[in-house]
């Protein structure tokens, strides 16, 4: 049941007013069309209400139109925290720290790739490690691993796994500062050192997509992003920091949970366990979390490098074959950013969990070549429906320049398995021109398009709510599922 | 199976409820639930490698969280699929301890078929309580 206090602010924004009896310090605001709001699972409203109780939260707890229930924060949750007075919470970031998406543009066309599509997908399936128990492309010794934690994508490029253009086209240039390996446990190192360059499992994927001219909705800005239409082939990579990030989050969540009395916090959900940002504990987590952000950047860099090798192996005869990073976005992070609050610029710690940063044109933290367009925002839809490219706009200011990250689930994993059969789905998708390989047919059923919201409605809601502007839609033709 | 799925807690992840007559069995069944939600048939895991250890703490619920996370650590760090063999949960004053012997083998993807990877045991809605002579836990696993 939706909360009785839920009020409609406008056609794409709803609010639960701050209720001191629920310890809410600010209102909770949920973006989306009426249909999306009506169909959101009820736990989303409970979870975003809990987020509004976090110490130091500024303005409002936010949930994006793709919001669905998770743990601690809802997926799609955003919280701006005053770092001087407030906290950092591992549950506001998630276990898969810097789970994110990288999009690669190519100058290959559908006609060129189509005859070799199955070979390409098979080659990517064997060449890019995926699924449970897969080792990564790289296994690093402790010294190199520490350098990778500090330098992220840059470490990969310096060691021959990419180009400087890759670094330029990542959030934070593929490397956040304040990453300090001394804050990382031995367990996290042991868990992650062998997994760099691997997709993982669950909703992670590597997808071959087509940009058709009819699906380019903003030709000027698509051109700036290197998306030309004309049945251009692009590749989308969705993965995160793997076991390394999972262990960093587990370590600090467990230790913060034991410290809530000491900090005087009485939060409604233990998953929101937190520490004052500038406490020793808070800073240690921030430094370790930043290491995991950098490892995720490197993970996607390594996969991009392997994809490039395979494309050259299969299509290298094409004169001037090009594979370029369009952009690399983060979904699960907490970053210090400057935002205007009531007319004053403030330094804020923006927790985004299953949400994408969407900086507008002219922002100094996006690549120069995107200064007129705004940041590319990469929205991974389901493997059946397609994905979108949006761009950040000034109208996203009230959401701390945040937007959707995907379609958002409408069906639980259990329900999806009851409704879909993995092997049948694979066959059905192939008949529709989408060739898919997976490590788990059970996992494939959980990721069926019908388990997700309608991505068209989600991105349209985001645009109508001012959370970015639609540039292009990308249709899948091949997919590797972890 | 000594567990049930709980619906309406999370759409993206897996929530399970475990009941057992003793704390030691509760931990054992909880670990079996975790592994069963990840591996299609946990009886396919041969028990040829052993890992033993002990953990302790003042909060039994957090001890359960820590114990289950051990299985996920070994899965990624050493590519080991483990199942609980001998589990003993005891208390002295305010301190709880869990001594464990886990058994299993290296992941072999020809033999072990996976449903999904579980990234972590979360604290979301994590409960451990006693009711009608049974120990009960509810936990959400992050997928």
């Amino acid at each position: 049941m939706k909360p009785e206090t839920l009020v409609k602010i406008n056609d794409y924004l709803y609010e639960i007013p701050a209720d001191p009896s629920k310890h809410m310090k600010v209102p909770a605001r949920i973006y989306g069309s009426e249909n999306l709001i009506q169909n959101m699972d009820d736990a989303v409203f409970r979870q975003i209400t809990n987020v509004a109780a976090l110490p130091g939260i500024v303005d409002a707890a936010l949930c994006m139109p793709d919001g669905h229930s998770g743990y601690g924060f809802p997926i799609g949750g955003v919280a701006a925290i005053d770092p001087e007075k407030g906290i950092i919470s591992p549950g506001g970031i998630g276990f898969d720290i810097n789970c994110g998406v990288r999009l690669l543009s190519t100058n290959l066309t559908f006609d060129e790739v189509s005859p070799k599509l199955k070979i390409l997908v098979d080659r990517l399936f064997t060449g890019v490690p995926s699924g449970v128990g897969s080792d990564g492309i790289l296994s690093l010794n402790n010294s190199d691993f520490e350098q990778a934690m500090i330098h992220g994508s840059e470490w990969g490029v310096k060691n021959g796994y990419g180009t400087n253009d890759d670094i330029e086209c990542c959030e934070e240039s593929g490397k956040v500062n304040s990453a300090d390996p001394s804050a990382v446990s031995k367990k996290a190192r042991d868990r992650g050192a062998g997994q760099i360059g691997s997709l993982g499992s669950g909703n992670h994927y590597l997808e071959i997509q087509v940009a058709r001219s009819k699906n380019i909705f903003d030709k000027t800005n698509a051109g700036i992003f290197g998306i030309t239409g004309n049945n251009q082939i692009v590749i989308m990579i969705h993965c995160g920091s793997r076991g390394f990030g999972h262990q960093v989050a587990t370590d600090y969540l467990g230790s913060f949970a034991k410290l809530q009395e000491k900090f005087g916090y009485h939060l409604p959900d233990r998953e929101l366990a937190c520490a004052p940002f500038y406490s020793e504990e808070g800073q240690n987590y921030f430094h370790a979390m930043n290491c995991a952000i950098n490892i995720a950047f490197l993970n996607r860099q390594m996969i991009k490098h392997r994809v490039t090798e395979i494309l050259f192996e299969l299509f290298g005869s094409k004169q001037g074959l090009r594979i370029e990073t369009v952009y690399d976005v983060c979904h699960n992070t907490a970053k210090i950013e400057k935002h205007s609050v009531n007319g004053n610029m403030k330094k804020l710690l923006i927790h985004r969990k299953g949400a994408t940063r969407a900086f507008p044109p002219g922002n100094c933290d996006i690549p120069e070549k995107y200064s007129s367009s705004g940041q590319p925002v990469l929205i991974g839809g389901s493997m059946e429906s397609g994905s979108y490219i949006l761009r950040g706009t000034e109208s996203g200011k009230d959401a701390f320049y945040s937007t959707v990250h995907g379609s958002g689930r409408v069906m639980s994993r259990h329900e999806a398995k009851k409704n879909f059969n993995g092997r049948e789905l694979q066959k059905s998708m192939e008949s529709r021109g989408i060739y898919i390989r997976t490590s788990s047919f059970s996992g494939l059923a959980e990721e069926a398009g019908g388990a997700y919201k309608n991505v068209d409605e989600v991105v349209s809601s985001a645009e109508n709510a001012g959370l970015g502007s639609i540039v292009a839609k990308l249709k899948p033709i091949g997919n590797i599922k972890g | 199976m000594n567990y049930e799925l709980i619906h309406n807690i999370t759409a993206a992840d897996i929530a399970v409820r475990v009941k057992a007559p003793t704390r030691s069995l509760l931990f054992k069944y909880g670990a079996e639930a975790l592994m069963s939600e990840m591996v299609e048939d946990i009886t396919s895991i041969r028990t040829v490698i052993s890992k033993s250890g002990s953990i302790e703490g003042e909060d039994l619920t957090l001890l359960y969280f820590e114990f289950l996370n051990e299985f996920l650590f070994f899965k990624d760090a050493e590519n080991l699929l483990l199942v609980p063999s001998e589990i003993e949960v005891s208390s002295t004053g305010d301190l709880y301890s869990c001594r464990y012997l886990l058994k299993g083998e290296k992941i072999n993807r020809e033999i072990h078929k996976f449903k999904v990877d579980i990234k972590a045991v979360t604290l979301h809605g994590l409960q451990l309580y006693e009711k009608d002579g049974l120990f009960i836990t509810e936990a959400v696993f992050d997928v």
Side-chain angles (χ1 to χ4, degrees):
Chain A
M1 209 167 79
K2 306 293 175 277
E4 284 176 9
T5 55
L6 185 71
V7 290
K8 185 174 180 175
I9 303 294
N10 62 43
D11 284 349
Y12 295 94
L13 180 62
Y14 292 74
E15 181 175 292
I16 304 167
D19 179 349
S21 74
K22 291 179 179 162
H23 310 288
M24 292 172 76
K25 295 177 172 58
V26 292
R29 296 194 185 118
I30 305 106
Y31 291 92
S33 62
E34 187 169 357
N35 182 52
L36 288 175
I37 299 292
Q38 285 303 323
N39 287 299
M40 266 181 196
D41 45 322
D42 295 345
V44 171
F45 300 92
R46 288 196 297 275
Q47 290 177 350
I48 200 65
T49 297
N50 292 343
V51 173
L54 287 173
I57 189 164
V58 170
D59 192 43
L62 305 176
C63 185
M64 300 294 112
D66 56 337
H68 58 274
S69 56
Y71 48 86
F73 276 42
I75 312 300
V78 176
I81 305 286
D82 178 345
E84 301 292 337
K85 300 174 187 164
I87 53 82
I88 185 166
S89 172
I93 296 155
F95 287 92
D96 197 1
I97 296 166
N98 190 8
C99 174
V101 169
R102 182 178 292 213
L103 183 70
L104 312 178
S105 66
T106 77
N107 59 347
L108 290 163
T109 65
F110 177 76
D111 287 345
E112 288 169 322
V113 168
S114 183
K116 291 185 182 173
L117 179 64
K118 285 190 175 183
I119 298 169
L120 173 60
V121 172
D122 290 346
R123 189 67 194 85
L124 289 170
F125 186 66
T126 52
V128 178
S130 64
V132 188
S134 58
D135 290 329
I137 295 166
L138 279 181
S139 182
L140 298 181
N141 63 36
N142 195 48
S143 164
D144 284 341
F145 196 26
E146 287 202 346
Q147 290 303 304
M149 289 180 214
I150 295 167
H151 298 291
S153 282
E154 191 179 285
W155 185 93
V157 170
K158 275 189 180 165
N159 284 276
Y161 303 111
T163 68
N164 285 327
D165 290 342
D166 292 330
I167 297 173
E168 188 199 346
C169 294
C170 292
E171 278 190 28
E172 318 297 334
S173 301
K175 172 183 108 168
V176 288
N177 296 320
S178 299
D180 181 355
S182 71
V184 173
S185 70
K186 181 176 183 305
K187 274 184 128 171
R189 293 160 192 253
D190 289 349
R191 199 167 162 185
Q195 294 186 329
I196 297 173
S198 63
L199 275 177
S201 175
N203 62 355
H204 292 163
Y205 59 80
L206 171 57
E207 191 163 88
I208 302 158
Q209 304 169 335
V210 184
R212 301 192 196 283
S213 295
K214 68 173 184 180
N215 290 331
I216 306 290
F217 306 109
D218 175 350
K219 206 171 175 182
T220 302
N221 288 308
I224 291 172
F225 296 162
I227 304 301
T228 58
N230 302 314
N231 293 334
Q232 176 191 16
I233 295 293
V234 300
I235 314 269
M236 189 172 270
I237 301 163
H238 178 213
C239 60
S241 48
R242 306 283 286 111
F244 180 71
H246 309 167
Q247 191 64 40
V248 166
T250 297
D251 290 341
Y252 281 93
L253 182 66
S255 92
F256 285 7
K258 293 171 187 164
L259 297 170
Q260 296 308 282
E261 285 293 325
K262 170 188 159 183
F263 293 136
Y265 297 152
H266 303 282
L267 293 164
D269 180 357
R270 283 186 117 176
E271 184 68 25
L272 294 175
C274 50
F277 181 66
Y278 282 118
S279 65
E280 185 182 354
E281 295 88 347
Q283 285 295 289
N284 282 341
Y285 171 62
F286 186 58
H287 294 149
M289 190 262 301
N290 282 336
C291 288
I293 288 179
N294 288 342
I295 289 300
F297 279 133
L298 176 60
N299 192 31
R300 294 192 286 274
Q301 181 63 44
M302 292 306 303
I303 292 173
K304 187 259 177 177
H305 181 71
R306 178 58 58 85
V307 169
T308 302
E309 286 178 332
I310 292 169
L311 287 173
F312 267 91
E313 188 184 301
L314 294 177
F315 302 100
S317 59
K318 181 184 171 82
Q319 198 74 13
L321 175 60
R322 285 197 326 271
I323 297 112
E324 292 167 350
T325 298
V326 175
Y327 207 55
D328 183 309
V329 299
C330 313
H331 295 160
N332 294 354
T333 59
K335 292 185 192 172
I336 292 286
E337 296 171 5
K338 282 189 178 164
H339 291 272
S340 172
V341 179
N342 299 325
N344 299 315
M345 287 306 283
K346 286 195 68 123
K347 195 167 81 166
L348 297 170
L349 180 68
I350 310 293
H351 289 66
R352 293 190 182 92
K353 182 177 178 191
T356 314
R357 192 193 76 179
F359 278 164
N363 186 286
C364 60
D365 289 323
I366 59 177
E368 179 67 31
K369 67 179 180 179
Y370 298 144
S371 65
S372 68
S373 60
Q375 178 199 314
V377 177
L378 312 171
I379 310 301
S382 80
M383 60 192 179
E384 294 184 77
S385 62
S387 297
Y388 276 88
I389 306 176
L390 276 65
R391 65 184 186 89
T393 54
E394 191 52 43
S395 53
K397 178 173 158 289
D398 291 346
F400 303 100
Y401 300 115
S402 308
T403 190
V404 292
H405 83 308
S407 302
R409 291 194 80 89
V410 73
M411 206 180 267
S412 72
R413 292 181 177 279
H414 180 68
E415 283 176 296
K417 275 194 288 199
K418 278 200 302 192
N419 282 280
F420 303 101
N421 174 287
R423 288 183 192 277
E424 285 172 12
L425 185 61
Q426 184 190 41
K427 278 185 199 159
S428 158
M429 287 176 66
E430 190 171 345
S431 72
R432 286 177 277 140
I434 307 168
Y435 180 59
I436 188 159
R437 292 288 307 271
T438 181
S439 307
S440 165
F441 284 100
S442 171
L444 191 67
E446 293 178 9
E447 296 300 320
Y452 282 86
K453 298 177 193 182
N454 178 339
V455 69
D456 300 333
E457 185 178 6
V458 167
V459 296
S460 158
S461 279
E463 184 175 67
N464 284 318
L467 309 177
S469 176
I470 297 170
V471 173
K473 183 174 185 181
L474 308 168
K475 295 294 281 183
I477 58 168
N479 188 308
I480 288 96
K481 277 300 229 193
Chain B
M1 279 300 159
N2 295 300
Y3 73 95
E4 59 184 323
L5 293 172
I6 316 170
H7 305 291
N8 306 321
I9 287 190
T10 173
D13 304 299
I14 297 168
V16 300
R17 182 181 295 115
V18 179
K19 296 178 183 177
T22 66
R23 290 187 185 112
S24 299
L25 277 175
L26 188 75
F27 275 49
K28 185 173 191 289
Y29 294 165
E32 286 170 353
L34 175 75
M35 296 307 292
S36 296
E37 283 303 305
M38 196 157 49
V39 184
E40 283 191 4
D41 176 12
I42 61 167
T43 64
S44 69
I45 303 170
R46 294 177 308 150
T47 52
V48 295
I49 295 174
S50 297
K51 290 281 177 184
S52 60
S54 66
I55 50 176
E56 57 183 30
E58 292 178 0
D59 184 325
L60 186 63
T61 310
L62 288 180
L63 197 69
Y64 180 74
F65 164 82
E66 203 175 324
F67 172 66
L68 294 193
N69 272 308
E70 288 293 276
F71 291 81
L72 304 180
F73 168 74
F74 284 119
K75 173 209 30 124
D76 286 337
E78 299 185 28
N79 272 342
L80 282 177
L81 287 180
L82 298 169
V83 289
S85 177
E86 293 170 28
I87 311 297
E88 188 188 329
V89 178
S90 57
S91 61
T92 311
D94 289 339
L95 197 65
Y96 292 98
S97 66
C98 170
R99 283 175 35 197
Y100 60 78
L101 173 65
L102 318 179
K103 290 188 174 179
E105 65 175 327
K106 288 270 185 191
I107 294 173
N108 178 340
R109 296 209 288 178
E110 295 299 313
I111 297 168
H112 307 123
K113 301 299 173 197
F114 291 92
K115 296 177 181 173
V116 77
D117 195 11
I118 290 175
K119 296 171 189 166
V121 179
T122 78
L123 292 181
H124 180 63
L126 184 65
Q127 297 186 64
L128 193 158
Y129 56 96
E130 204 176 342
K131 189 180 174 188
D132 300 331
L134 288 173
F135 290 93
I136 302 170
T137 65
E138 294 177 5
V140 172
F141 304 149
D142 179 25
V143 174

